[in-house]
C-alpha cells in the first residue's frame, strides 16, 4: 500500500468501528429481541460461517448477547479488540515502508503497536527506535514508560486518544512522506537484544 492508501485504510477502519459500536449498542439493549426481529433475525438463530470441506462453523447468538448485557468488561473488550486490530493493521502496513520518514507520530504508533503485542505493556529496549522521538501532541513515549499499560482502562492512552492518533497519522500520510533510512536520520543501525517480533525491527 502507498501512504495515501494506508490513509484511506484508516478511514475504512474507523467506519468498521462505527458499525461495531452501533451493533454493540443494539446487542446490549433490553429491546434486542424486537430490534433483531425487525430485520428478520432471532436470538435463537445461530451465526453460520462457511468452511472448506465441512459443515458450517456455528456460533450461537443468545448466550453471548445475554452475557454481554450484564458484563461491562465484555463490552469494553469488544471496543479494545477493535482498536488493537486497527492499530496492528495500520502498523503492519507502515512496517512495509519502514515507517516512511519515521516522524515522531509514526514512531509513537510503532511503540504502541509493540506494546500491544507484549500483552498491552510497553516493552522499550535499547535500539534504533529508542533513538527516535516518539511524540503525539502532549504525549511522549520514553523509557520511563517501560512495563506500563498501553491502552484502555488505566492505560497511557485512552480509547479516544487511539482514534485521534489514527486520524492524525492519516493526515501525515496524506502529505506522502518519503522513506528515510536510519543513516539519513543520523542513527547507526543496531538491533535490540530482545527477541524479534513478527513485523517489527530495531
Amino acid at each position: 500500500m502507498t501512504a495515501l492508501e494506508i490513509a484511506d485504510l484508516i478511514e475504512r477502519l474507523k467506519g468498521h468501528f462505527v458499525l461495531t459500536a452501533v451493533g454493540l449498542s443494539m446487542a446490549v439493549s433490553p429491546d434486542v429481541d424486537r430490534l433483531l426481529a425487525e430485520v428478520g433475525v432471532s436470538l435463537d438463530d445461530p451465526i453460520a460461517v462457511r468452511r472448506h470441506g465441512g459443515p458450517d462453523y456455528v456460533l450461537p447468538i443468545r448466550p453471548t448477547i445475554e452475557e454481554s448485557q450484564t458484563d461491562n468488561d465484555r463490552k469494553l473488550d469488544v471496543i479494545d479488540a477493535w482498536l488493537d486490530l486497527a492499530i496492528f493493521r495500520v502498523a503492519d502496513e507502515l512496517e512495509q515502508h519502514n515507517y516512511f520518514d519515521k516522524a515522531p507520530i509514526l514512531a509513537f504508533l510503532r511503540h504502541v503497536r509493540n506494546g500491544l503485542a507484549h500483552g498491552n505493556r510497553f516493552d522499550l529496549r535499547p535500539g534504533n527506535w529508542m533513538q527516535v522521538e516518539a511524540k503525539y501532541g502532549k504525549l511522549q513515549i520514553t523509557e520511563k514508560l517501560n512495563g506500563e499499560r498501553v491502552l484502555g482502562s488505566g492505560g497511557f492512552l485512552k480509547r479516544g486518544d487511539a482514534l485521534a492518533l489514527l486520524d492524525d497519522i492519516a493526515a501525515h500520510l496524506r502529505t506522502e512522506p518519503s522513506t528515510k533510512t536510519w543513516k539519513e536520520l543520523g542513527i547507526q543501525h543496531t538491533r535490540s537484544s530482545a527477541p524479534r517480533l513478527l513485523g517489527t525491527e530495531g
Side-chain angles (χ1 to χ4, degrees):
M1 282 187 171
T2 65
L4 293 178
E5 288 171 336
I6 300 172
D8 289 340
L9 170 65
I10 290 173
E11 292 303 314
R12 291 197 302 276
L13 290 171
K14 285 164 52 186
H16 298 167
F17 175 75
V18 172
L19 293 174
T20 299
V22 171
L24 180 60
S25 298
M26 287 182 61
V28 300
S29 168
D31 296 325
V32 62
D33 282 279
R34 179 183 60 78
L35 292 171
L36 290 179
E38 289 179 359
V39 293
V41 177
S42 168
L43 284 181
D44 296 315
D45 291 335
I47 295 173
V49 185
R50 290 184 177 177
R51 298 171 58 189
H52 283 292
D56 291 348
Y57 185 87
V58 175
L59 289 163
I61 298 176
R62 186 175 291 279
T64 299
I65 295 297
E66 290 180 348
E67 289 173 17
S68 299
Q69 288 176 333
T70 57
D71 187 347
N72 287 327
D73 288 340
R74 187 162 191 168
K75 298 170 192 175
L76 293 176
D77 285 345
V78 172
I79 300 300
D80 290 344
W82 177 90
L83 287 171
D84 288 357
L85 290 171
I87 289 168
F88 279 125
R89 179 73 191 280
V90 172
D92 286 348
E93 292 296 339
L94 291 172
E95 179 69 27
Q96 301 305 311
H97 300 275
N98 204 14
Y99 285 80
F100 292 103
D101 57 354
K102 302 174 182 62
I105 193 171
L106 299 184
F108 189 98
L109 179 75
R110 196 271 179 187
H111 286 305
V112 169
R113 177 246 187 260
N114 192 50
L116 292 176
H118 283 86
N120 198 25
R121 298 279 176 180
F122 283 110
D123 187 67
L124 305 169
R125 308 188 189 198
N128 295 338
W129 286 103
M130 290 308 297
Q131 300 179 62
V132 178
E133 184 181 34
K135 190 174 183 180
Y136 171 57
K138 296 181 180 180
L139 299 172
Q140 186 163 8
I141 296 174
T142 68
E143 63 277 2
K144 293 179 181 179
L145 289 173
N146 195 43
E148 294 296 319
R149 187 175 175 86
V150 178
L151 178 64
S153 301
F156 177 67
L157 286 177
K158 294 186 181 297
R159 297 173 181 90
D161 294 326
L163 288 164
L165 172 63
L166 291 174
D167 262 354
D168 288 350
I169 286 172
H172 179 71
L173 293 175
R174 293 195 188 284
T175 70
E176 299 187 77
S178 60
T179 298
K180 292 184 179 179
T181 65
W182 293 114
K183 185 176 181 180
E184 289 173 315
L185 293 172
I187 297 173
Q188 184 176 359
H189 184 62
T190 60
R191 291 189 182 277
S192 70
S193 59
R196 189 173 186 271
L197 289 176
L198 181 65
T200 66
E201 63 138 299

